Amino acid sequence: MAEQQCGEDPEPLEPGPAGPLFVPVRPGPAGSVARLFRTPVGARTAVAFTTPQRLSAALGDRQAWIRLSEPALRALTEPLGVHEVTVDPRLAAHPVGAPRRRTAAWRERDPQAVGALRVTGAAALVGALTTWTG
């Protein structure tokens, strides 16, 4: 007999990756330690990959790894306050190129090159307050 679905039943959990994951590690005092990363908004996350090729594509061929299940990875990282696991991320960095050459025209527009002072931070705030109140 089939159970009737109630409108208040919880949604089914999202399926996780099947099988062991490839987790990047670094050397630690007592062996290998899982590497932790940050999400684009700055939260800490554990990272895992479904294949060694995906891990190498994101982190390079020399990145050490171990195989763990998702529950085992969560059990390792949750005591550290890391509750998120990111699977198969595409890590990206800004492109690196040769530095641009500075020309004489650039020096004319650069206030530091012509001797103008640049006041920032607390000094700028104090200067603004003393000018405004005094």
Side-chain angles (χ1 to χ4, degrees), residues 1-133:
M1 182 167 143
E3 291 184 26
Q4 290 184 339
Q5 292 283 333
C6 178
E8 298 172 7
D9 284 344
E11 292 292 322
L13 295 174
E14 289 186 25
L21 297 170
F22 299 86
V23 179
V25 294
R26 62 177 176 79
S32 295
V33 178
R35 286 186 62 191
L36 299 177
F37 294 83
R38 293 209 179 261
T39 64
V41 295
R44 291 172 53 190
T45 183
V47 171
F49 296 87
T50 53
T51 67
Q53 293 79 16
R54 288 184 177 187
L55 185 142
S56 293
L59 300 175
D61 293 333
R62 298 182 67 197
Q63 174 61 57
W65 53 267
I66 59 173
R67 290 185 75 176
L68 290 174
S69 67
E70 184 179 355
L73 180 58
R74 287 185 185 279
L76 284 173
T77 59
E78 284 184 355
L80 302 172
V82 178
H83 305 289
E84 187 173 336
V85 174
T86 304
V87 178
D88 287 336
R90 285 188 232 141
L91 303 178
H94 296 288
V96 177
R100 294 191 302 181
R101 294 185 63 196
R102 296 181 177 177
T103 63
W106 175 84
R107 289 179 198 235
E108 293 170 5
R109 290 183 300 232
D110 183 17
Q112 294 225 332
V114 295
L117 295 176
R118 198 173 95 190
V119 181
T120 60
L125 178 61
V126 170
L129 290 176
T130 56
T131 304
W132 182 73
T133 60

